[in-house]
Amino acid sequence: GLSAGVEDMSAFIKEREAPSEEMLAELERLKSRSPEYKALMEEVEDLMRQNREFADEAVATMQQIGSLSEFMTHALLAIDALGRDIAPAATVLDERATAYLQDLERRAYDRLVKYHYYLAKAYEYRMLRPYTEPLDLEGLIQKFQEIADLNSNHEVTPDQFATFLSVYEDKLSAVAETIFDHYNANRPDLSVPVRFNLLPAEIAALNEGRSFTLNLRDAGFFQPQEENVRIVDLRVSSIEIEPEGTLGRTAFLDLNIEHAGVSRLKKDGKIHLFRHYNQDTENPFVWGGRYDAIDDQLDPIRPSDASDSLLRSLLSGPAVSDMLLYSRPSAWADLEFSRTYVNSGGGPIRLKSVRLEMVYDFSPRSTGSGLRDLELLVQTLSEGPGGEPVIEDSSFMPYMQLGATDVNGRRDARGAFIRVFQSGGGPIEIVAPETYGQWEFDRWTDRFGGDLPGGPFTGTLLPISLSNDTVLVARYRPLEPTVIDPLLLRQATVVGGSLILEWAGEPGIRLQTRAALDAGEWTDVPGTAGASGFSVPGPSNSAFFRLVRQTP
């Protein structure tokens, strides 16, 4: 900046210069004619002398600026050379490089833990027991770092990396070895097919372009002693169609069956729940069949072997098909059925009948365990449009009490449930509420609506002897059009040492209690909002109860 300013000043002076000879001649002429002018010119000569001195100083300054500029240039070149010399070490000291390396380390560690987690979850899903080893690789990573620090260049040789890899794979192999030991010591699972037809109402829904959901276990397709039930294959055995109009150039119908992604698995008196999908899932489990109406040919639709298990990216070996052991979804799950068709230039393709076959694996329950299942379902009995009785599975959740505690410490439930008892322990009393909202108890039946042996049993209390696995249905029917006070507590009963309170369950109504009738605050009884009953376990002191309706 200073150099540019001096140059501007020099240019300004140069623009106002005159030829020295002409100027001096003119000055001498003027001085000879006027004494005043002579004096003035002497002052001008003095100013010019000062101007020359100033110009000399400006030139000296410009020379100094040039010298300093050259010095700074050499200094910058030296700094650049120094920067190149320390570049390898500078990446260690640079904060951004350090942060990047730390992030790289974290992501690598997370990937190793993720693969370990996948294998642990496969272990839990297959064995139905918790994986107890910690998902912690800090010690392994520390050893890896110590190996690198021993080398002068802090690099890991291929042989050292192979050693680290073998230690990590050994950690994964220990999980697989546990599974192998289990199968070596126990009988293998069994596999069997079950075949079934779609009902007319289900086919009608598909023909109307709607889907429907079917849960094969809830529909009674499996025996109670068949545990750990998993789908091996689900295929369409046969399809009959009724095309409307002619068939076009291309005419086919797809029947798709999609797994809901939630598997329930029962084993040794416990029910396990697994979720197969997450927010990144794009391809769910799908089976089905494509029926070519022109060629009368049925081709299967099934999950691809290339994407059936996350473990394919972690494990390798000749037994590729065995990977399916770790990913077969449970048959105790909701299956959604849907239909699509293509008939170029023709009318709709309607279904007439569908028959399916499902091959499933299961573990037979040990005969020496002495365990017996007590499963209770809730159904409703109503009147159809033509006056015919209609029995449907219900999502009602009436409060049920049991007169004994099962092997998992439970003696009550809401709605449908499964409880596991030791056989030979004497009869178990089941108590259902008399009413549930605007429904009243009708009777106890089997899964398919038939009366139990020795029935009908129309009372809410039913004693059961669990010499075998038992499936019961608590059936409710609509109340007669009478006004029922929803805030009325019925007469309390005692079952198994517990006090049972019952009322007509209704949304917004809850039970409250306090120790004295005329003193203290009424407090809500937890879990009674919208319920129809409550069990007070072995009360030792007096207590008062009331029902209240929650107001908006």
Side-chain angles (χ1 to χ4, degrees), residues 8-9 99-100 111 116 160 164 185 224 228 257 262 277 282 304 311 325 328 370 392 422 433 461 479-480 497 500 548:
D8 291 343
M9 186 170 60
Y100 175 78
R111 279 195 298 271
H116 192 190
Q160 291 171 337
F164 171 77
N228 195 13
I257 309 167
V262 177
Y277 309 151
E282 297 179 355
S304 169
L311 296 179
L325 285 173
R328 286 174 180 160
E392 297 179 309
Q422 290 286 345
L461 189 149
L479 281 167
E480 296 296 330
I500 307 302
V548 296

Side-chain angles (χ1 to χ4, degrees), residues 461-540:
L461 189 149
L462 178 69
I464 289 293
S465 177
L466 289 181
S467 56
N468 297 299
D469 295 303
T470 303
V471 179
L472 300 174
V473 173
R475 193 167 74 186
Y476 285 80
R477 65 178 180 227
L479 281 167
E480 296 296 330
T482 57
V483 178
I484 297 179
D485 185 0
L487 299 179
L488 177 64
L489 272 171
R490 299 191 186 92
Q491 181 67 38
T493 58
V494 177
V495 176
S498 296
L499 183 68
I500 307 302
L501 302 176
E502 295 181 323
W503 63 92
E506 187 176 293
I509 292 181
R510 62 187 185 277
L511 185 69
Q512 291 186 335
T513 184
R514 68 180 180 185
L517 185 60
D518 54 356
E521 296 290 333
W522 289 97
T523 59
D524 292 343
V525 177
T528 60
S532 60
F534 179 70
S535 174
V536 184
S540 57

Side-chain angles (χ1 to χ4, degrees), residues 434-467:
E434 292 183 1
T435 60
Y436 183 78
Q438 298 301 311
W439 298 76
E440 64 178 347
F441 184 81
D442 177 52
R443 66 184 62 197
W444 299 98
T445 72
D446 61 20
R447 185 191 294 271
F448 306 104
D451 286 332
L452 299 176
F457 295 97
T458 58
T460 57
L461 189 149
L462 178 69
I464 289 293
S465 177
L466 289 181
S467 56

Side-chain angles (χ1 to χ4, degrees), residues 126-417:
R126 190 63 206 175
M127 307 301 295
L128 298 184
R129 63 179 64 173
Y131 180 74
T132 57
E133 292 294 326
L135 295 175
D136 183 10
L137 301 176
E138 289 290 351
L140 197 62
I141 299 297
Q142 182 64 32
K143 292 295 183 183
F144 196 41
Q145 184 175 348
E146 291 175 0
I147 292 174
D149 290 341
L150 292 175
N151 299 332
S152 59
N153 57 0
H154 300 284
E155 293 182 356
V156 177
T157 66
D159 291 340
Q160 291 171 337
F161 181 80
T163 302
F164 171 77
L165 179 62
S166 65
V167 173
Y168 176 69
E169 289 181 339
D170 182 69
K171 205 172 186 67
L172 301 184
S173 299
V175 185
E177 184 180 2
T178 304
I179 300 175
F180 175 79
D181 291 342
H182 171 80
Y183 281 116
N184 193 44
N186 296 273
R187 59 181 176 177
D189 290 346
L190 303 180
S191 185
V192 69
V194 59
R195 301 175 182 88
F196 59 97
N197 297 325
L198 294 187
L199 299 177
E202 297 167 343
I203 291 179
L206 294 176
N207 287 331
E208 294 171 3
R210 297 182 288 112
S211 61
F212 71 90
T213 300
L214 176 63
N215 191 306
L216 300 183
R217 189 198 177 282
D218 291 346
F221 281 39
F222 311 116
Q223 299 293 327
Q225 64 271 18
E226 296 176 347
E227 300 185 331
N228 195 13
V229 179
R230 303 167 187 263
I231 300 175
V232 177
D233 191 19
L234 179 57
R235 66 183 188 90
V236 182
S237 299
S238 63
I239 286 181
E240 290 186 67
I241 64 167
E242 293 178 327
E244 294 185 6
T246 59
L247 296 177
R249 181 179 181 180
T250 300
F252 62 85
L253 180 144
D254 286 349
L255 181 66
N256 296 306
I257 309 167
E258 181 177 324
H259 195 279
V262 177
S263 286
R264 286 178 172 82
L265 296 160
K266 180 174 70 71
K267 188 176 182 182
D268 298 333
K270 291 181 171 58
I271 297 176
H272 307 264
L273 185 144
F274 292 88
R275 301 187 185 276
H276 300 282
Y277 309 151
N278 57 34
Q279 64 271 17
D280 298 325
T281 300
E282 297 179 355
N283 300 314
F285 289 109
V286 175
W287 302 266
R290 169 169 291 185
Y291 176 74
D292 191 306
I294 298 176
D295 296 335
D296 189 23
Q297 180 173 330
L298 181 61
D299 297 304
I301 300 173
R302 58 167 58 96
S304 169
D305 288 343
S307 58
D308 52 25
S309 175
L310 289 171
L311 296 179
R312 290 187 182 277
S313 64
L314 310 178
L315 305 177
S316 61
V320 176
S321 61
D322 290 345
M323 302 290 183
L324 291 169
L325 285 173
Y326 303 95
S327 61
R328 286 174 180 160
S330 170
W332 187 0
D334 290 339
L335 302 175
E336 183 178 1
F337 289 71
S338 61
R339 175 212 65 159
T340 58
Y341 67 88
V342 171
N343 188 10
S344 57
I349 301 178
R350 300 176 60 83
L351 286 168
K352 184 178 180 181
S353 68
V354 177
R355 185 162 179 80
L356 302 105
E357 178 186 80
M358 187 182 75
V359 179
Y360 64 94
D361 287 345
F362 70 93
S363 302
R365 187 173 55 204
S366 174
T367 55
S369 65
L371 299 179
R372 296 293 181 264
D373 287 356
L374 172 61
E375 182 174 0
L376 186 138
L377 306 174
V378 180
Q379 293 181 347
T380 57
L381 172 64
S382 57
E383 189 175 287
E388 72 280 4
V390 177
I391 298 176
E392 297 179 309
D393 291 334
S394 173
S395 60
F396 287 174
M397 300 185 67
Y399 181 65
M400 305 286 183
Q401 298 94 37
L402 304 175
T405 303
D406 80 340
V407 296
N408 294 307
R410 298 171 296 187
R411 59 182 304 145
D412 59 2
R414 294 188 184 277
F417 63 83

